[in-house]
Amino acid sequence: MTDGTLRCSRGHSFDVAKQGYVNLLRGAAKFSADTAAMVAARADFLTAGHYAPIAGALAALARETAPQATGGDPGCVADIGGGTGYHLARVMSEFPDTEGILLDISKFAARRAARAHPRISAVVADAWDGLPLAGGAASVVLNVFAPRNPAELRRILRPDGVLLVVTPRPDHLRELVEALGLLRVGEQKDERLADRLSAHFTEVARERSRSTMALDHKALPQVVGMGPNAWHQRSERLEERIARLPEPCDVTLSVTLTAYRPLI
């Protein structure tokens, strides 16, 4: 990159936005991009530390499963669908000599991710249109609550690299599902994930993180508005439902963290 412009070997050039990210999105993306309001809700919720147990467990698992540095190019840490960069920034603290790259289809998320950590580069891109990374460029790939393209994830990983996937469990946010009309997590979600990845990866570790969050009436609309539930809610109805809940409201945080190695 020179003079605020990113150039590839084929002669293409892309300007880096003043907010610090580069947009490599080509045409319409397969999934809807998070809106400015959704990204703002996520940033406020994560900054408050409600998902700190997830970030901490993810960083620890990355440290335990990442390939050992043996000289040469260590590979980058890539976060696919990484949103505001909250989880990647925490993981980067475990790899002080490594660069991080975050890809998301939302330009609003990329703007925040570009400022999340000094060693993170943020890119707007669609994982289903091919990831803008060279084959074997990454030693660690993160995928937290985001769609995934198994073939592309395998392509960008080093043979000894690791893919770390975080998915919600059926009891995640269970106190809010009925009360606020939230989407339910399928009982077989972990099994479906393993089956989907099985053509390209083998599972090497799995752990669960479960804790209780005390959410006030400011945090409750944020946890609803920062993810897929935002597309299915009317703000007036949500406010009415939240007003009926205790404050603070004890809410379950429950996820599975799974580590995968590429099939050779």
Side-chain angles (χ1 to χ4, degrees):
M1 184 175 71
T2 57
D3 301 325
T5 301
L6 189 66
R7 295 181 173 84
C8 75
S9 59
R10 297 182 179 180
H12 301 113
S13 62
F14 305 88
D15 293 334
V16 178
K18 63 181 180 180
Q19 296 89 351
Y21 70 93
V22 62
N23 193 335
L24 301 182
L25 193 63
R26 302 184 299 181
K30 180 174 181 178
F31 293 92
S32 298
D34 289 349
T35 65
M38 292 172 69
V39 171
R42 181 179 298 119
D44 290 342
F45 186 84
L46 295 177
T47 298
H50 300 301
Y51 276 6
I54 299 177
L58 183 63
L61 188 59
R63 182 179 63 248
E64 295 166 5
T65 58
Q68 297 296 315
T70 57
D73 184 1
C76 67
V77 179
D79 192 350
I80 311 303
T84 63
Y86 174 81
H87 297 290
L88 178 56
R90 175 64 182 84
V91 171
M92 292 302 293
S93 66
E94 303 294 334
F95 302 93
D97 300 320
T98 303
E99 295 296 318
I101 182 166
L102 180 144
L103 295 95
D104 200 282
I105 59 173
S106 172
K107 65 180 180 181
F108 304 108
R111 288 174 181 174
R112 292 180 181 266
R115 304 190 300 269
H117 191 280
R119 286 184 282 115
I120 289 178
S121 298
V123 179
V124 178
D126 180 10
W128 297 93
D129 190 33
L131 297 171
L133 291 172
S139 56
V140 178
V141 172
L142 311 179
N143 183 255
V144 182
F145 293 166
R148 62 202 65 85
N149 182 340
E152 274 296 278
L153 297 179
R154 170 64 187 89
R155 182 186 65 80
I156 68 171
L157 258 179
R158 287 171 35 170
D160 60 346
V162 64
L163 167 65
L164 304 178
V165 181
V166 180
T167 51
R169 294 189 52 74
D171 58 338
H172 184 59
L173 307 182
R174 63 183 178 84
E175 295 83 0
L176 305 181
V177 171
E178 293 292 342
L180 302 183
L182 304 190
L183 299 170
R184 295 182 181 274
V185 178
E187 291 289 340
Q188 304 300 318
K189 190 174 184 67
D190 288 345
E191 288 73 14
R192 290 198 301 271
L193 171 65
D195 182 65
R196 185 118 188 277
L197 294 177
S198 62
H200 302 277
F201 295 92
T202 182
E203 181 180 319
V204 294
R206 180 186 296 194
E207 60 186 58
R208 296 173 181 175
S209 176
R210 192 176 191 276
S211 58
T212 299
M213 304 177 287
L215 304 183
D216 60 23
H217 285 192
K218 180 180 179 182
L220 287 173
Q222 292 170 353
V223 76
V224 175
M226 71 183 196
N229 285 291
W231 302 109
H232 305 277
Q233 294 283 339
R234 295 204 329 262
S235 59
E236 301 84 0
R237 180 63 173 146
L238 181 61
E239 290 174 4
E240 293 173 3
R241 288 175 164 178
I242 288 176
R244 301 190 191 110
L245 294 176
E247 187 175 24
C249 181
D250 288 341
V251 179
T252 300
L253 184 161
S254 181
V255 301
T256 300
L257 300 95
T258 313
Y260 295 90
R261 298 284 185 205
L263 291 175
I264 305 301

